[in-house]
Amino acid sequence: LAMTIGNLAALVQKDLKRLLGYSAIAHAGYVLLALQSLGEPGLTAAIFYAMGYFVMSLACFLVIGEVGKDRDTVSIESMSGLYKRAPFMAFTLLLGLFGLIGLPPTVGFVGKWFLFSAALERGQFYLVLVAAINATIGLYYYLMVIRQLYWVEPATDERIAPSRLVALTAFAAILLVLAMGTFPGTFWDLASRAAAALIS
């Protein structure tokens, strides 16, 4: 229910913050997929994915915050041609969305692999199938945003210059999204220790 309702609700959103909000419900469903396996591997996978989701969504919301600094809502259309107005911010959002989609070499790919593996080990094939279908639904609305970033001409030539703090935070988020996806061992060990402490 969390995966399906979250993705279907996100599918019809025009406001980017709402879209990512409903998307978060879907990602909570992916985490529940591992948690319901009722074992340390599942809990470890859930903690690992939660850490990854934090940095992926941080990357996205940093950009949304910069683009919509003076607005309550940030429409998908407001991202038009962002690669021309703020190339680094556009790349940050692109990588965050790639992670949320679950594309390699991001943490989203490895994290979903761990989640689905934990569920399959408990024989939850049909739940994993539902998750895979939902991931495909998510792919559509994330690609709508990416299309707006890189394939639609900007409505304004106004440049967006992030502050040094925002730029450094975005750079750190990018590094973590890629590091956790490329070298997950260290982060998996942290999640495993956390899971063992919670179970004991």
Side-chain angles (χ1 to χ4, degrees):
L1 281 171
M3 289 184 287
T4 305
I5 292 172
N7 275 317
L8 291 179
L11 200 58
V12 297
Q13 299 305 315
K14 302 299 180 188
D15 177 62
L16 201 46
K17 287 188 279 189
R18 282 180 177 272
L19 184 150
L20 289 177
Y22 282 112
S23 162
I25 296 171
H27 285 277
Y30 299 140
V31 171
L32 288 171
L33 185 68
L35 287 178
Q36 60 82 42
S37 65
L38 300 176
E40 189 172 324
L43 183 55
T44 302
I47 292 171
F48 179 89
Y49 194 79
M51 291 191 300
Y53 180 76
F54 171 75
V55 293
M56 292 184 290
S57 59
L58 174 64
C60 294
F61 277 106
L62 279 170
V63 179
I64 293 168
E66 282 299 300
V67 174
K69 203 175 275 185
D70 304 318
R71 284 172 273 174
D72 291 330
T73 61
V74 182
S75 66
I76 295 174
E77 285 74 21
S78 68
M79 294 291 165
S80 299
L82 188 64
Y83 80 101
K84 286 185 176 179
R85 296 186 290 141
F88 179 65
M89 288 283 97
F91 178 73
T92 302
L93 181 55
L94 176 70
L95 199 65
L97 292 172
F98 275 1
L100 294 174
I101 290 170
L103 295 178
T106 67
V107 64
F109 173 76
V110 176
K112 282 189 174 69
W113 177 272
F114 289 152
L115 293 177
F116 294 175
S117 296
L120 286 172
E121 283 177 11
R122 301 287 293 185
Q124 304 287 353
F125 171 77
Y126 291 107
L127 278 177
V128 172
L129 181 61
V130 170
I133 293 169
N134 271 284
T136 306
I137 296 171
L139 173 66
Y140 175 77
Y141 60 76
Y142 290 132
L143 286 178
M144 283 197 312
V145 180
I146 293 170
R147 174 184 172 275
Q148 209 72 26
L149 286 174
Y150 285 93
W151 279 277
V152 177
E153 288 300 309
T156 174
D157 293 329
E158 181 187 357
R159 305 282 293 183
I160 299 172
S163 67
R164 183 175 296 181
L165 178 60
V166 169
L168 286 173
T169 308
F171 184 69
I174 288 172
L175 286 182
L176 282 170
V177 167
L178 293 174
M180 291 182 73
T182 311
F183 306 104
T186 302
F187 303 96
W188 178 264
D189 289 342
L190 287 172
S192 181
R193 288 202 294 272
L198 285 170
I199 289 173
S200 64

